[in-house]
Amino acid sequence: MTQQFQKLRALTGMKDLLPGESAQWEHLEELVREWLASYGYRNMRTPVLEFTQLFARGIGEVTDIVEKEMYSFTDSLNGDKLTMRPEFTAGMVRASIEHNLLYDRPQRVYAMGPVFRHERPQRGRYRQFHQIDVEALGLPGPDVDAELILMLARLWRLLGLNDIRLELNSLGQASERAAHRAALIAHLEAHKDVLDEEAQRRMYVNPLRVLDTKNPAMQDMANTAPRLFDFLQEESKAHFRGVCERLDDAGIAYTLNPRLVRGLDYYNLTVFEWVTDRLGAQGTVCGGGRYDGLIELLGGKSAPAVGFAIGMERLLDLWQQDQEPLAAPECQVYMVHQGESAQRTCALLAEQLRDAGLHVIVHAGSSGFKSQFKRADASGAAVAVIVGDNEIQSQAASVKWLRLSDEQTEQQESVEFEQLAAVIAARIL
Ligand code: ATP
Ligand code: MG
C-alpha cells in the first residue's frame, strides 16, 4: 500500500525563485554591490527577527506597517514579543547603537535581503519581498542627501532605466511640523465628512499621515490642505535649497511634491521617492529621506542620518521589461563517459578543469551516449568532453564544441588529457 501525502505549497504572497529566474537576481546583486562600493558603502547584516518594540518605536505605532502589516508572534519558549523585520532601517540603527559604530566616525552602510509585510498580494506587492537598503549614519548635511540621490540616478543609468522620475519634499523639523499640525487638524475637521474611518482615527494622532492616503474620495481634501512646506523656517529651507542646488549641478530633474510625506514616522527634512509609470499601481521603486531623530529615539546618542530603500522586485520587473531573459547555462563543460573507468577519469579531469576556472558538470550515473548528449545540450554547456575506452587508451579526450558559429566548421577534435584544461580555457574563458 502506498501512502499519498498531501502536497505542500508556499505561503500566499511569498514567491519561490527558481534557478532560471535567480540568474537575473544574482546579476543585479553583483552590479548593486559594485555600485555601492563605488560610493564607499559597506555591507551590514542584521537578524530577520527583532523585538516587536523596535519597530513599534522606530517606525511609529500609527503607521500602516505597525498597525496592520507586521508578522508578529510571541515566542512560545519565553513569551518574548517578536517581529519579522518589515524594513531594514530600525534594525540597522539598533545594531549601530548596540555596537557603538558611530563612536569615532560616520558610517556608510547597506543591507540587501528579504523583508516581510502582511499586505494584499498583487503585482509589485508581496508579503515577502526584498529591499536594497542604504544608510548614511552620522552625516547632517544636504551634501549627503544629494549624494544619495545622485547615487540612485547612477544606478538607473547603469541599468539603462531612463523613465524613473524623482519627487522631492521637505518635512522640516519637529517644531515646524507642530505649527503646521494645528492648521492641518483644522482643515481635517472642516472636511470631516470626506474622511474615511482610518483618517478619522489618525487625524489627531498623526494628521500628516492622513495626507498619505490613496483613497480617491479624499484627494481633493488632501490637495487643498495647508502645505507643510509653507511652514518651514529659514534653516530648513536652506537645507532643502542645498539639496536642490546640488541636483541642479548634476543635471538631475525633480519635481517638488508637497504631499510626499512617506509612510514612516521618523523622517525629517529631505524626503524623496523615485516613481515610474511602467509598473501599474505599484510605481514607487525607491523611497528615502532624512531621519535625524531616530538614533536618539532608539536609545543612541543623538546623531543625524539619511537613507533609502529600493524594492528589488519592482526594480527587476522594470529592468526585465527592456531585456532579453538572461541565458543561464548550468555549466560551461559537460562531461560524457562510457564505463566505470571512464567515469572515474572524468571526475579527476573535471577537477583539473575547475582548477583552470571552468564550470563543469560530470554526467552522474551511467546511461547511453545519446541521452548523455541530450543532457549536455540542455545544460547550455559550450563544450562536451567525451571519454570512453578509446580515449582512455590514447589518453586523449574527444572534445565536441556545442555552440559553434557557422564559420567554425570543425566539430570534434581529440585533445590530450594533459592539455585539456588549457585548450578549453583558452577557447571559452
Ligand atoms: P507603498 O506605498 O508602495 O506601500 P511603502 O511606502 O510602504 O510603499 P517603503 O516602506 O518606503 O514602501 O519601502 C521601500 C520600497 O520597497 C518601496 O518603494 C517599494 O519599492 C518596495 N515595497 C514596499 N512594499 C512592498 C511590497 N509589499 N512588495 C514589494 N515591494 C514593496
Ligand atoms: Mg506600504
Side-chain angles (χ1 to χ4, degrees), residues 249-278:
D249 289 347
I252 293 176
Y254 51 87
T255 51
L256 173 63
N257 176 359
R259 280 191 52 192
L260 182 65
V261 300
R262 304 276 305 126
L264 316 180
D265 256 1
Y266 49 61
Y267 287 99
N268 69 312
L269 292 172
T270 317
V271 287
F272 59 87
E273 284 188 353
W274 290 86
V275 189
T276 177
D277 296 322
R278 269 203 289 151

mmCIF file of all heavy atoms in Angstrom, residues 249-278:
data_model
loop_
_atom_site.group_PDB
_atom_site.id
_atom_site.type_symbol
_atom_site.label_atom_id
_atom_site.label_comp_id
_atom_site.label_asym_id
_atom_site.label_seq_id
_atom_site.Cartn_x
_atom_site.Cartn_y
_atom_site.Cartn_z
ATOM 1 N N ASP A 249 23.294 71.043 -10.116
ATOM 2 C CA ASP A 249 24.697 70.898 -10.550
ATOM 3 C C ASP A 249 24.878 69.647 -11.398
ATOM 4 O O ASP A 249 25.626 69.629 -12.371
ATOM 5 C CB ASP A 249 25.648 70.731 -9.342
ATOM 6 C CG ASP A 249 25.811 72.017 -8.552
ATOM 7 O OD1 ASP A 249 25.403 73.082 -9.063
ATOM 8 O OD2 ASP A 249 26.344 71.942 -7.408
ATOM 9 N N ALA A 250 24.227 68.565 -10.976
ATOM 10 C CA ALA A 250 24.429 67.266 -11.625
ATOM 11 C C ALA A 250 23.434 67.029 -12.762
ATOM 12 O O ALA A 250 23.440 65.960 -13.378
ATOM 13 C CB ALA A 250 24.314 66.149 -10.594
ATOM 14 N N GLY A 251 22.566 68.014 -12.998
ATOM 15 C CA GLY A 251 21.597 67.874 -14.080
ATOM 16 C C GLY A 251 20.515 66.842 -13.790
ATOM 17 O O GLY A 251 20.017 66.180 -14.703
ATOM 18 N N ILE A 252 20.157 66.677 -12.528
ATOM 19 C CA ILE A 252 19.110 65.705 -12.178
ATOM 20 C C ILE A 252 17.772 66.421 -12.024
ATOM 21 O O ILE A 252 17.639 67.351 -11.222
ATOM 22 C CB ILE A 252 19.484 64.963 -10.882
ATOM 23 C CG1 ILE A 252 20.699 64.090 -11.168
ATOM 24 C CG2 ILE A 252 18.313 64.129 -10.364
ATOM 25 C CD1 ILE A 252 21.234 63.378 -9.968
ATOM 26 N N ALA A 253 16.794 65.981 -12.798
ATOM 27 C CA ALA A 253 15.474 66.625 -12.763
ATOM 28 C C ALA A 253 14.665 66.102 -11.583
ATOM 29 O O ALA A 253 14.815 64.956 -11.178
ATOM 30 C CB ALA A 253 14.734 66.335 -14.065
ATOM 31 N N TYR A 254 13.823 66.969 -11.009
ATOM 32 C CA TYR A 254 12.969 66.546 -9.891
ATOM 33 C C TYR A 254 11.715 67.399 -9.889
ATOM 34 O O TYR A 254 11.694 68.484 -10.461
ATOM 35 C CB TYR A 254 13.699 66.717 -8.552
ATOM 36 C CG TYR A 254 14.296 68.092 -8.369
ATOM 37 C CD1 TYR A 254 13.554 69.144 -7.830
ATOM 38 C CD2 TYR A 254 15.614 68.345 -8.768
ATOM 39 C CE1 TYR A 254 14.106 70.406 -7.696
ATOM 40 C CE2 TYR A 254 16.168 69.602 -8.638
ATOM 41 C CZ TYR A 254 15.411 70.638 -8.099
ATOM 42 O OH TYR A 254 15.963 71.883 -7.976
ATOM 43 N N THR A 255 10.686 66.888 -9.252
ATOM 44 C CA THR A 255 9.520 67.740 -9.026
ATOM 45 C C THR A 255 9.279 67.812 -7.529
ATOM 46 O O THR A 255 9.482 66.834 -6.793
ATOM 47 C CB THR A 255 8.243 67.196 -9.703
ATOM 48 O OG1 THR A 255 8.089 65.823 -9.335
ATOM 49 C CG2 THR A 255 8.316 67.293 -11.209
ATOM 50 N N LEU A 256 8.866 68.977 -7.098
ATOM 51 C CA LEU A 256 8.521 69.164 -5.698
ATOM 52 C C LEU A 256 7.114 68.615 -5.504
ATOM 53 O O LEU A 256 6.174 69.026 -6.187
ATOM 54 C CB LEU A 256 8.562 70.658 -5.366
ATOM 55 C CG LEU A 256 8.053 71.038 -3.974
ATOM 56 C CD1 LEU A 256 8.926 70.419 -2.892
ATOM 57 C CD2 LEU A 256 7.997 72.548 -3.818
ATOM 58 N N ASN A 257 6.963 67.660 -4.611
ATOM 59 C CA ASN A 257 5.651 67.103 -4.317
ATOM 60 C C ASN A 257 5.324 67.366 -2.848
ATOM 61 O O ASN A 257 5.769 66.631 -1.962
ATOM 62 C CB ASN A 257 5.631 65.594 -4.621
ATOM 63 C CG ASN A 257 4.302 64.962 -4.245
ATOM 64 O OD1 ASN A 257 3.405 65.630 -3.736
ATOM 65 N ND2 ASN A 257 4.177 63.667 -4.488
ATOM 66 N N PRO A 258 4.568 68.445 -2.585
ATOM 67 C CA PRO A 258 4.320 68.832 -1.186
ATOM 68 C C PRO A 258 3.506 67.789 -0.418
ATOM 69 O O PRO A 258 3.462 67.822 0.801
ATOM 70 C CB PRO A 258 3.544 70.154 -1.298
ATOM 71 C CG PRO A 258 3.167 70.309 -2.718
ATOM 72 C CD PRO A 258 3.895 69.299 -3.551
ATOM 73 N N ARG A 259 2.899 66.846 -1.129
ATOM 74 C CA ARG A 259 2.113 65.817 -0.441
ATOM 75 C C ARG A 259 2.931 64.578 -0.094
ATOM 76 O O ARG A 259 2.433 63.646 0.528
ATOM 77 C CB ARG A 259 0.928 65.404 -1.314
ATOM 78 C CG ARG A 259 -0.219 66.391 -1.223
ATOM 79 C CD ARG A 259 -1.453 65.851 -1.865
ATOM 80 N NE ARG A 259 -1.790 64.518 -1.366
ATOM 81 C CZ ARG A 259 -2.690 63.739 -1.930
ATOM 82 N NH1 ARG A 259 -3.305 64.138 -3.011
ATOM 83 N NH2 ARG A 259 -2.948 62.546 -1.424
ATOM 84 N N LEU A 260 4.166 64.583 -0.516
ATOM 85 C CA LEU A 260 5.012 63.424 -0.226
ATOM 86 C C LEU A 260 5.418 63.453 1.249
ATOM 87 O O LEU A 260 6.182 64.324 1.666
ATOM 88 C CB LEU A 260 6.258 63.471 -1.112
ATOM 89 C CG LEU A 260 7.239 62.314 -0.977
ATOM 90 C CD1 LEU A 260 6.603 61.020 -1.419
ATOM 91 C CD2 LEU A 260 8.478 62.583 -1.817
ATOM 92 N N VAL A 261 4.872 62.525 2.053
ATOM 93 C CA VAL A 261 5.236 62.517 3.475
ATOM 94 C C VAL A 261 5.885 61.207 3.885
ATOM 95 O O VAL A 261 6.384 61.068 4.987
ATOM 96 C CB VAL A 261 4.017 62.801 4.389
ATOM 97 C CG1 VAL A 261 3.446 64.156 4.073
ATOM 98 C CG2 VAL A 261 2.961 61.719 4.276
ATOM 99 N N ARG A 262 5.868 60.207 2.964
ATOM 100 C CA ARG A 262 6.451 58.897 3.246
ATOM 101 C C ARG A 262 5.657 58.170 4.337
ATOM 102 O O ARG A 262 5.023 58.767 5.173
ATOM 103 C CB ARG A 262 7.926 59.002 3.657
ATOM 104 C CG ARG A 262 8.769 59.723 2.642
ATOM 105 C CD ARG A 262 9.246 58.817 1.537
ATOM 106 N NE ARG A 262 9.948 57.668 2.051
ATOM 107 C CZ ARG A 262 9.635 56.405 1.748
ATOM 108 N NH1 ARG A 262 8.647 56.129 0.939
ATOM 109 N NH2 ARG A 262 10.331 55.406 2.260
ATOM 110 N N GLY A 263 5.745 56.852 4.295
ATOM 111 C CA GLY A 263 4.904 56.045 5.179
ATOM 112 C C GLY A 263 5.388 55.921 6.618
ATOM 113 O O GLY A 263 4.664 55.427 7.470
ATOM 114 N N LEU A 264 6.589 56.338 6.904
ATOM 115 C CA LEU A 264 7.131 56.078 8.232
ATOM 116 C C LEU A 264 7.195 57.360 9.058
ATOM 117 O O LEU A 264 7.276 58.447 8.530
ATOM 118 C CB LEU A 264 8.527 55.463 8.122
ATOM 119 C CG LEU A 264 8.675 54.360 7.074
ATOM 120 C CD1 LEU A 264 10.094 53.827 7.051
ATOM 121 C CD2 LEU A 264 7.704 53.222 7.335
ATOM 122 N N ASP A 265 7.210 57.176 10.370
ATOM 123 C CA ASP A 265 7.129 58.320 11.278
ATOM 124 C C ASP A 265 8.415 59.117 11.413
ATOM 125 O O ASP A 265 8.394 60.262 11.799
ATOM 126 C CB ASP A 265 6.765 57.812 12.687
ATOM 127 C CG ASP A 265 5.312 58.107 13.000
ATOM 128 O OD1 ASP A 265 4.639 58.669 12.120
ATOM 129 O OD2 ASP A 265 4.888 57.793 14.118
ATOM 130 N N TYR A 266 9.535 58.483 11.144
ATOM 131 C CA TYR A 266 10.772 59.070 11.654
ATOM 132 C C TYR A 266 11.454 60.074 10.732
ATOM 133 O O TYR A 266 12.540 60.538 11.018
ATOM 134 C CB TYR A 266 11.761 57.983 12.074
ATOM 135 C CG TYR A 266 12.004 56.868 11.072
ATOM 136 C CD1 TYR A 266 12.521 57.134 9.820
ATOM 137 C CD2 TYR A 266 11.741 55.549 11.423
ATOM 138 C CE1 TYR A 266 12.775 56.118 8.926
ATOM 139 C CE2 TYR A 266 11.998 54.517 10.529
ATOM 140 C CZ TYR A 266 12.508 54.807 9.287
ATOM 141 O OH TYR A 266 12.758 53.794 8.412
ATOM 142 N N TYR A 267 10.840 60.420 9.626
ATOM 143 C CA TYR A 267 11.532 61.304 8.690
ATOM 144 C C TYR A 267 11.506 62.772 9.102
ATOM 145 O O TYR A 267 10.581 63.242 9.756
ATOM 146 C CB TYR A 267 10.926 61.173 7.295
ATOM 147 C CG TYR A 267 11.288 59.873 6.633
ATOM 148 C CD1 TYR A 267 10.407 58.805 6.627
ATOM 149 C CD2 TYR A 267 12.535 59.709 6.034
ATOM 150 C CE1 TYR A 267 10.754 57.600 6.031
ATOM 151 C CE2 TYR A 267 12.889 58.510 5.438
ATOM 152 C CZ TYR A 267 11.988 57.464 5.439
ATOM 153 O OH TYR A 267 12.334 56.281 4.856
ATOM 154 N N ASN A 268 12.527 63.521 8.705
ATOM 155 C CA ASN A 268 12.512 64.982 8.803
ATOM 156 C C ASN A 268 13.270 65.535 7.591
ATOM 157 O O ASN A 268 13.890 64.778 6.841
ATOM 158 C CB ASN A 268 13.152 65.460 10.122
ATOM 159 C CG ASN A 268 14.643 65.210 10.154
ATOM 160 O OD1 ASN A 268 15.105 64.129 9.833
ATOM 161 N ND2 ASN A 268 15.395 66.220 10.537
ATOM 162 N N LEU A 269 13.182 66.835 7.384
ATOM 163 C CA LEU A 269 13.836 67.489 6.237
ATOM 164 C C LEU A 269 13.583 66.727 4.928
ATOM 165 O O LEU A 269 12.453 66.413 4.616
ATOM 166 C CB LEU A 269 15.339 67.697 6.529
ATOM 167 C CG LEU A 269 15.628 68.727 7.651
ATOM 168 C CD1 LEU A 269 17.103 68.736 8.028
ATOM 169 C CD2 LEU A 269 15.181 70.135 7.236
ATOM 170 N N THR A 270 14.666 66.378 4.228
ATOM 171 C CA THR A 270 14.519 65.806 2.891
ATOM 172 C C THR A 270 13.783 64.456 2.868
ATOM 173 O O THR A 270 14.157 63.534 3.588
ATOM 174 C CB THR A 270 15.927 65.561 2.302
ATOM 175 O OG1 THR A 270 16.748 66.696 2.603
ATOM 176 C CG2 THR A 270 15.850 65.339 0.815
ATOM 177 N N VAL A 271 12.748 64.358 2.043
ATOM 178 C CA VAL A 271 12.170 63.051 1.716
ATOM 179 C C VAL A 271 12.043 62.963 0.198
ATOM 180 O O VAL A 271 11.856 63.985 -0.470
ATOM 181 C CB VAL A 271 10.779 62.817 2.347
ATOM 182 C CG1 VAL A 271 10.875 62.564 3.837
ATOM 183 C CG2 VAL A 271 9.842 63.978 2.063
ATOM 184 N N PHE A 272 12.179 61.748 -0.329
ATOM 185 C CA PHE A 272 12.083 61.610 -1.782
ATOM 186 C C PHE A 272 11.563 60.241 -2.166
ATOM 187 O O PHE A 272 11.626 59.291 -1.394
ATOM 188 C CB PHE A 272 13.446 61.866 -2.443
ATOM 189 C CG PHE A 272 14.540 60.947 -1.976
ATOM 190 C CD1 PHE A 272 14.742 59.713 -2.579
ATOM 191 C CD2 PHE A 272 15.390 61.323 -0.933
ATOM 192 C CE1 PHE A 272 15.760 58.866 -2.151
ATOM 193 C CE2 PHE A 272 16.410 60.478 -0.497
ATOM 194 C CZ PHE A 272 16.595 59.244 -1.114
ATOM 195 N N GLU A 273 11.018 60.170 -3.363
ATOM 196 C CA GLU A 273 10.627 58.890 -3.956
ATOM 197 C C GLU A 273 10.980 58.912 -5.432
ATOM 198 O O GLU A 273 10.935 59.963 -6.073
ATOM 199 C CB GLU A 273 9.115 58.646 -3.792
ATOM 200 C CG GLU A 273 8.734 58.239 -2.386
ATOM 201 C CD GLU A 273 7.278 57.805 -2.220
ATOM 202 O OE1 GLU A 273 6.490 57.935 -3.178
ATOM 203 O OE2 GLU A 273 6.950 57.348 -1.124
ATOM 204 N N TRP A 274 11.325 57.752 -5.946
ATOM 205 C CA TRP A 274 11.549 57.575 -7.392
ATOM 206 C C TRP A 274 10.386 56.745 -7.919
ATOM 207 O O TRP A 274 10.131 55.646 -7.422
ATOM 208 C CB TRP A 274 12.862 56.856 -7.663
ATOM 209 C CG TRP A 274 14.082 57.658 -7.351
ATOM 210 C CD1 TRP A 274 14.712 57.764 -6.149
ATOM 211 C CD2 TRP A 274 14.847 58.464 -8.267
ATOM 212 N NE1 TRP A 274 15.825 58.575 -6.255
ATOM 213 C CE2 TRP A 274 15.929 59.009 -7.550
ATOM 214 C CE3 TRP A 274 14.729 58.775 -9.632
ATOM 215 C CZ2 TRP A 274 16.890 59.840 -8.136
ATOM 216 C CZ3 TRP A 274 15.683 59.595 -10.210
ATOM 217 C CH2 TRP A 274 16.750 60.127 -9.478
ATOM 218 N N VAL A 275 9.710 57.288 -8.929
ATOM 219 C CA VAL A 275 8.452 56.702 -9.379
ATOM 220 C C VAL A 275 8.488 56.457 -10.885
ATOM 221 O O VAL A 275 9.087 57.232 -11.627
ATOM 222 C CB VAL A 275 7.288 57.676 -9.069
ATOM 223 C CG1 VAL A 275 5.947 57.013 -9.328
ATOM 224 C CG2 VAL A 275 7.368 58.155 -7.627
ATOM 225 N N THR A 276 7.830 55.387 -11.319
ATOM 226 C CA THR A 276 7.711 55.123 -12.754
ATOM 227 C C THR A 276 6.255 54.843 -13.120
ATOM 228 O O THR A 276 5.467 54.447 -12.266
ATOM 229 C CB THR A 276 8.588 53.920 -13.177
ATOM 230 O OG1 THR A 276 8.372 53.661 -14.564
ATOM 231 C CG2 THR A 276 8.228 52.677 -12.392
ATOM 232 N N ASP A 277 5.924 55.049 -14.393
ATOM 233 C CA ASP A 277 4.559 54.739 -14.849
ATOM 234 C C ASP A 277 4.461 53.339 -15.428
ATOM 235 O O ASP A 277 3.405 52.909 -15.846
ATOM 236 C CB ASP A 277 4.138 55.739 -15.942
ATOM 237 C CG ASP A 277 4.075 57.150 -15.395
ATOM 238 O OD1 ASP A 277 3.650 57.301 -14.243
ATOM 239 O OD2 ASP A 277 4.462 58.085 -16.125
ATOM 240 N N ARG A 278 5.594 52.637 -15.450
ATOM 241 C CA ARG A 278 5.617 51.346 -16.154
ATOM 242 C C ARG A 278 5.306 50.148 -15.264
ATOM 243 O O ARG A 278 5.470 49.011 -15.669
ATOM 244 C CB ARG A 278 6.983 51.143 -16.797
ATOM 245 C CG ARG A 278 7.033 51.671 -18.222
ATOM 246 C CD ARG A 278 8.126 50.993 -18.992
ATOM 247 N NE ARG A 278 9.450 51.424 -18.559
ATOM 248 C CZ ARG A 278 10.524 50.655 -18.628
ATOM 249 N NH1 ARG A 278 10.441 49.423 -19.081
ATOM 250 N NH2 ARG A 278 11.694 51.115 -18.241
#
